[in-house]
Amino acid sequence: MKDIFIEENGAYSIDCRAAVWATDKMHEDYHNAGIHMSDVDFLIENSTHILMVEYKNACLANAENPEAFHPMADKKILVASRKFYDSLHYLRLLDKNKPIQYIYILEYPNGDTTARKRLRNRLKMELPFVLQDNIGNGKKLIERVDVLSIAEWNADNSYGKYPIKQVSE
């Protein structure tokens, strides 16, 4: 169904029918253009913001070696931050100029609220918050970063308008 996107493992969907605009085609568009850029999984536009949504789930039944997934590793943080930067080009080419919120939806063994907040704080250091404060003259590349579980996403008043559910539900 249009605007209900299935994540790459086929286990969960995100319902974006309440969005002004949404897509899960950035990766495909970058690939078709022959460019090697990183991308977030979903872009969702509401009346006030663009949500860049990155989704990782190492808790799936078919996940290979989920214990080996360490989202706090420097390399993983750099990959997650690069996805933000590389996705900006896509939005600009589409004239999507609303303020951006970057949300990393993360499920992994032994992940908890405290670990997600620590990861959010590490990501915040890699994203352009300080740069835009120093030279942005009021312009912002990003307004907010969040790292949430699926349950936290669904419970949020804003993000929960685009519920994430198991495909079997």
Side-chain angles (χ1 to χ4, degrees):
M1 178 176 264
K2 187 178 185 267
D3 294 330
I4 297 178
F5 306 124
I6 309 295
E7 52 83 25
E8 65 188 354
N9 298 303
Y12 284 85
S13 67
I14 183 168
D15 185 342
C16 296
R17 291 179 289 185
V20 170
W21 170 85
T23 188
D24 66 345
K25 301 295 184 215
M26 188 178 354
H27 181 79
E28 180 181 328
D29 289 340
Y30 279 179
H31 178 78
N32 289 340
I35 56 177
H36 304 286
M37 296 179 78
S38 298
D39 55 89
V40 295
D41 294 305
F42 309 106
L43 294 169
I44 304 168
E45 180 181 0
N46 64 28
S47 62
T48 59
H49 289 85
I50 299 287
L51 309 179
M52 283 188 183
V53 181
E54 177 63 12
Y55 170 90
K56 291 282 180 247
N57 193 337
C59 291
L60 299 171
N62 62 347
E64 286 187 34
N65 198 9
E67 299 297 329
F69 180 67
H70 299 289
M72 290 293 288
D74 290 343
K75 184 176 180 181
K76 294 290 185 190
I77 290 169
L78 289 175
V79 167
S81 64
R82 180 175 175 183
K83 288 180 180 226
F84 167 81
Y85 290 108
D86 285 0
S87 297
L88 282 175
H89 305 294
Y90 193 85
L91 291 171
R92 295 307 175 242
L93 289 171
L94 293 173
D95 287 327
K96 300 290 184 183
N97 296 311
K98 290 180 180 173
I100 296 172
Q101 297 177 350
Y102 183 37
I103 305 94
Y104 190 177
I105 300 169
L106 181 61
E107 297 283 345
Y108 68 103
N110 304 315
D112 61 13
T113 302
T114 302
R116 286 188 292 277
K117 285 182 181 177
R118 277 197 324 256
L119 179 55
R120 180 205 59 208
N121 293 341
R122 290 270 319 270
L123 277 172
K124 196 169 186 179
M125 292 173 18
E126 296 296 330
L127 296 170
F129 289 101
V130 173
L131 180 66
Q132 69 193 16
D133 288 345
N134 290 346
I135 66 168
N137 293 325
K139 290 183 181 179
K140 291 188 175 187
L141 294 172
I142 187 170
E143 276 201 353
R144 179 176 174 172
V145 61
D146 281 317
V147 179
L148 305 170
S149 67
I150 292 171
E152 290 165 335
W153 167 276
N154 286 336
D156 186 271
N157 289 336
S158 296
Y159 306 146
K161 293 175 184 174
Y162 317 103
I164 296 175
K165 299 181 202 172
Q166 283 190 304
V167 170
S168 59
E169 289 181 17

